[in-house]
């Protein structure tokens, strides 16, 4: 049995090195709040994590890998050190068991060649033994970078993803021209039933390249998707994804989605996850509109991966998918005030669907239902006014810490308020504010005064960090619902059952736990407000 145990729910793994016992601890330890470690988000026990790798279900559990840097230098985050794949498993995608590094960086090939560290890729289960390693072998194809050259290597596992063997012929996809293709990375591999072959989406600068294979070891270029050719400049594209979902859960409207990490700086956004609705003909992707939509409008939702619920059969498997992202942003990742001996966290695992909203096919997302089990009894208030005075709303007594808020707010006849503001992690001077603007029809996240720790960041990353982030959400009845998931180091807002989302890191003052709801001006109506903290 694997000797390491990782506990998501605040326990700091007191039994971490007992080789004969794997236990998930469900203890909330307030003493750990000083290091900002989240209670219900995946974090590394120590050092650095970034990109999650697409999860899969095998042998009764979910397997997830993420990029991990055991040589992270907290005094100089730019010093590098290289990443490798770290392995965690879960039965519910909320509580994760830690299994350590599973694909090590800087290991030579059998012929003694060093191809570099282990970077982003994807794992598939080769059910029909197309690669020749055996039925149901887990095959991971990922980027390695050595001397600045990005190439794709293959590793395979015959023990359900717990250990991997490098393919002797690595790299399976050598960089065809390092000068012309300095970016040649992040392979996302899927099986395409219609064409009967494997398909790979690969990030190549401003282009997503598509490749096909019958055996996972030999790949042929098929086509490319280049938004910039149509005047849409999204900077460097990374971490692509390609999958199908049914619009409004209607199997007759099954639709392809292409997604990618992108830079929205020309569109009043930061980096995030862009996506396109379109068609895939087995060789090429064609977008309905080359202008992308965005999965999350917050500043910290990047390197997103999605996966189907393989436990569902037939059309059910296309009704929804799961998604998780890295909660950080390369525009300031090297300047954040990391403390506590760890750096990086994932987002909540979400369920995503394609729904028609205001005549537009849109990816909606909400936290998976398993999170409901980690919160304790709730307290609530209904039918009170909201004004600029926090006392008006008569909120119940709340403990702060890590919690979820569900708030429904209306601008009724006679109300003259402009926006609702929910202030969390406050101390009278500092706070993070989320809310909805009834005048501009948009949700927002404001964190320029989240705490003292971020006030000393360098000017450029501080400006990026402080920027107000907004998400357009049109209302049909002047009522908005906000689901706000607050952890010790992050906030994620889901508007109107996931029609929009904003995710961001925060660095609050230790002990700053005030929660308030106010209007920007005038009066609004608080239809309902519910708070639930992490269960003891």
């Amino acid at each position: 049995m694997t000797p390491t145990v990782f506990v998501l729910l605040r326990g700091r793994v007191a039994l971490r090195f007992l080789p004969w016992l794997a236990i998930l601890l469900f203890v909330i330890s307030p003493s750990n709040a000083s290091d900002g470690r989240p209670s219900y988000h995946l974090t590394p026990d120590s050092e650095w994590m970034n990109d999650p790798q697409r999860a899969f279900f095998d042998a009764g559990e979910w397997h997830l890998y993420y990029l991990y840097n055991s040589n992270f230098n907290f005094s100089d985050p730019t010093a590098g050190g290289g990443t490798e794949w770290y392995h965690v498993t879960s039965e519910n995608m909320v509580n994760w068991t830690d299994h350590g590094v599973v694909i090590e960086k800087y290991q030579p090939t059998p012929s003694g060649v060093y191809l570099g560290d282990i970077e982003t890729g994807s794992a598939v289960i080769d059910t029909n033994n197309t690669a020749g390693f055996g039925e149901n072998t887990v095959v991971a194809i990922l980027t390695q970078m050595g001397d600045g050259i990005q190439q794709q290597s293959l590793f395979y596992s015959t023990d359900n993803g717990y250990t991997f063997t490098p393919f002797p012929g690595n790299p399976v996809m050598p960089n065809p021209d390092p000068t012309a293709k300095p970016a040649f990375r992040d392979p996302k591999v899927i099986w395409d039933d219609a064409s009967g072959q494997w398909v790979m989406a690969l990030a190549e600068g401003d282009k997503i390249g598509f490749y096909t294979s019958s055996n996972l070891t030999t790949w042929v270029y098929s086509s490319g998707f280049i938004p910039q050719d149509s005047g849409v400049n999204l900077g460097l594209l990374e971490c692509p994804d390609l999958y199908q979902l049914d619009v409004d859960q209607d199997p007759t409207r099954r639709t392809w989605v292409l997604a990618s990490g992108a830079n929205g700086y020309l569109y009043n956004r930061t980096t995030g996850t862009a996506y396109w609705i379109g068609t895939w003909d087995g060789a090429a992707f064609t977008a309905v509109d080359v202008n992308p939509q965005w999965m999350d409008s917050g500043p910290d939702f990047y390197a997103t991966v999605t996966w189907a619920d393989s436990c569902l059969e037939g059309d059910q498997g296309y009704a929804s998918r799961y998604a998780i992202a890295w909660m950080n942003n390369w525009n300031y990742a090297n300047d954040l005030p990391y403390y506590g001996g760890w750096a990086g966290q994932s987002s909540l695992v979400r369920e995503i669907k394609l729904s028609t909203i205001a005549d537009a096919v849109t990816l909606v997302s909400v936290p998976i239902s398993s999170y409901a089990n980690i919160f304790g009894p709730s307290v609530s208030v209904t039918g009170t006014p909201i004004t600029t005075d926090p006392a008006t709303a008569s909120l119940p007594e709340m403990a702060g810490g890590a919690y979820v808020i569900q708030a429904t707010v209306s601008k009724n006849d006679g109300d003259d308020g402009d926006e609702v503001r929910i202030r969390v992690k406050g101390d009278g001077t500092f706070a993070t504010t989320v809310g909805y603007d009834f005048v501009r029809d948009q949700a927002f996240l404001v964190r320029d005064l989240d705490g003292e720790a971020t006030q000393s960041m360098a000017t450029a990353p501080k400006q990026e960090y402080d920027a107000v982030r907004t998400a357009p959400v049109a209302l049909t009845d002047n009522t908005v619902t906000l689901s706000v998931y607050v952890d010790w180091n992050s906030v994620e807002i889901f508007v109107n059952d996931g029609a929009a989302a904003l995710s961001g890191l925060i660095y609050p003052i230790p002990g700053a736990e005030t929660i308030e709801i106010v209007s920007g001006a005038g009066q609004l109506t608080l239809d309902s407000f519910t708070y639930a903290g992490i269960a003891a």
Side-chain angles (χ1 to χ4, degrees):
M1 183 170 289
T2 302
T4 54
V5 178
F6 179 79
V7 183
L8 189 67
L9 291 175
R10 181 56 74 192
R12 290 302 304 276
V13 200
L15 302 178
R16 181 175 172 81
F17 296 104
L18 296 182
W20 47 272
L21 188 61
I23 298 178
L24 287 175
L25 303 180
F26 296 87
V27 178
I28 311 288
S29 175
S31 64
N32 291 329
S34 61
D35 72 0
R37 185 181 294 275
S39 287
Y40 55 94
H41 288 74
L42 179 63
T43 65
D45 187 47
S46 63
E47 311 307 330
W48 167 272
M49 75 174 290
N50 55 306
D51 300 9
Q53 311 301 308
R54 184 180 60 203
F56 62 87
F57 190 80
D58 195 18
E61 58 188 356
W62 292 100
H63 296 256
L64 178 73
Y65 307 93
Y66 61 79
L67 298 190
Y68 175 70
N69 181 3
S70 60
N71 304 112
F72 183 69
N73 186 334
F74 286 92
S75 62
D76 182 12
T78 64
T83 55
E84 49 202 346
W85 276 25
Y86 204 98
H87 184 204
V88 293
T89 58
S90 176
E91 293 182 357
N92 60 8
M93 293 185 286
V94 174
N95 312 313
W96 295 94
T97 301
D98 179 0
H99 301 286
V101 173
V102 69
I103 304 180
E104 296 183 16
K105 58 188 176 184
Y106 303 129
Q107 298 300 306
T109 66
S111 60
V113 178
Y114 287 85
L115 297 175
D117 66 345
I118 303 298
E119 301 184 358
T120 286
S122 55
V124 297
I125 299 178
D126 188 10
T127 307
N128 296 322
N129 191 27
T130 64
F133 305 124
E135 292 183 359
N136 298 316
T137 294
V138 179
V139 177
I141 299 180
L142 52 82
T143 300
Q144 289 194 267
M145 183 169 69
D147 297 325
I149 299 174
Q150 298 175 358
Q151 306 182 92
Q152 317 319 313
S153 291
L154 184 151
F155 296 78
Y156 63 94
S157 171
T158 57
D159 61 358
N160 306 112
Y162 281 90
T163 63
F164 282 83
T165 300
F167 178 57
N170 280 337
V172 292
M173 286 183 68
N175 194 312
D177 187 345
T179 302
K181 292 182 179 293
F184 190 66
R185 60 180 303 119
D186 307 339
K188 190 62 55 66
V189 177
I190 65 169
W191 175 258
D192 182 8
D193 277 326
S195 61
Q197 62 187 346
W198 296 102
V199 173
M200 175 191 293
L202 194 68
E204 303 181 29
D206 63 358
K207 165 186 173 181
I208 297 175
F210 295 105
Y211 299 78
T212 60
S213 174
S214 62
N215 58 13
L216 292 168
T217 59
T218 302
W219 293 89
V220 177
Y221 178 75
S222 175
S223 64
F225 177 74
I226 310 175
Q228 191 161 324
D229 283 353
S230 300
V232 179
N233 184 350
L234 296 169
L236 181 69
L237 301 178
E238 296 185 304
C239 305
D241 202 358
L242 181 66
Y243 52 90
Q244 287 180 286
L245 281 172
D246 293 340
V247 179
D248 298 325
Q249 302 185 48
D250 181 353
T252 66
R253 301 179 65 194
R254 190 156 298 162
T255 302
W256 284 92
V257 179
L258 175 64
S260 177
N263 195 328
Y265 68 102
L266 292 178
Y267 310 96
N268 197 30
R269 292 177 174 271
T270 183
T271 57
T273 302
Y275 70 92
W276 296 264
I277 306 300
T279 59
W280 169 259
D281 64 4
F285 177 84
T286 303
V288 172
D289 184 348
V290 74
N291 295 290
Q293 296 170 270
W294 298 80
M295 191 179 294
D296 189 294
S297 294
D300 298 310
F301 195 82
Y302 195 70
T304 308
V305 292
T306 72
W307 61 96
D309 188 340
S310 55
C311 300
L312 300 178
E313 297 181 356
D315 291 337
Q316 288 183 315
Y318 296 97
S320 66
R321 292 174 71 84
Y322 301 122
I324 193 172
W326 177 49
M327 285 196 74
N328 212 324
N329 188 312
W330 283 119
N331 288 321
Y332 45 73
N334 292 323
D335 297 272
L336 290 175
Y338 300 118
Y339 44 81
W342 64 277
Q345 71 177 68
S346 72
S347 71
L348 297 175
V349 178
R350 304 177 178 185
E351 182 182 24
I352 62 172
K353 299 178 181 180
L354 276 181
S355 298
T356 304
I357 299 177
D359 298 324
V361 177
T362 304
L363 273 179
V364 300
S365 63
V366 294
I368 59 174
S369 59
S370 298
Y371 287 108
N373 299 324
I374 69 174
F375 295 106
S378 63
V379 293
S380 62
V381 62
T382 60
T384 64
I386 303 171
T387 68
T388 56
D389 181 358
T392 306
S394 301
L395 295 185
E397 183 176 348
M398 296 171 285
Y403 50 88
V404 60
I405 291 170
Q406 308 281 353
T408 300
V409 180
S410 295
K411 185 174 182 177
N412 295 328
D413 292 341
D415 287 341
D416 58 352
D418 54 359
E419 61 183 43
V420 57
R421 303 173 181 176
I422 302 175
R423 296 196 288 249
V424 300
K425 300 288 183 180
D427 71 344
T429 301
F430 296 99
T432 294
T433 303
V434 304
Y436 184 80
D437 186 330
F438 286 88
V439 176
R440 297 177 176 83
D441 291 331
Q442 62 185 21
F444 55 82
L445 166 62
V446 184
R447 59 174 182 180
D448 58 328
L449 290 175
D450 60 344
E452 289 181 338
T454 55
Q455 302 307 305
S456 59
M457 292 170 63
T459 300
K462 175 65 172 168
Q463 289 177 342
E464 187 77 12
Y465 185 87
D466 285 353
V468 176
R469 303 301 174 186
T470 61
V473 185
L475 304 181
T476 58
D477 57 2
N478 281 329
T479 297
V480 65
T481 299
L482 302 172
S483 299
V484 186
Y485 287 76
V486 181
D487 214 332
W488 295 96
N489 201 51
S490 62
V491 59
E492 289 165 85
I493 309 104
F494 301 89
V495 187
N496 285 358
D497 297 321
L502 298 106
S503 300
L505 296 174
I506 55 175
Y507 288 87
I509 298 288
E513 299 302 342
T514 298
I515 302 170
E516 298 175 332
I517 186 167
V518 297
S519 65
Q523 178 175 302
L524 297 167
T525 300
L526 182 58
D527 298 320
S528 64
F529 182 99
T530 301
Y531 162 96
I534 292 291

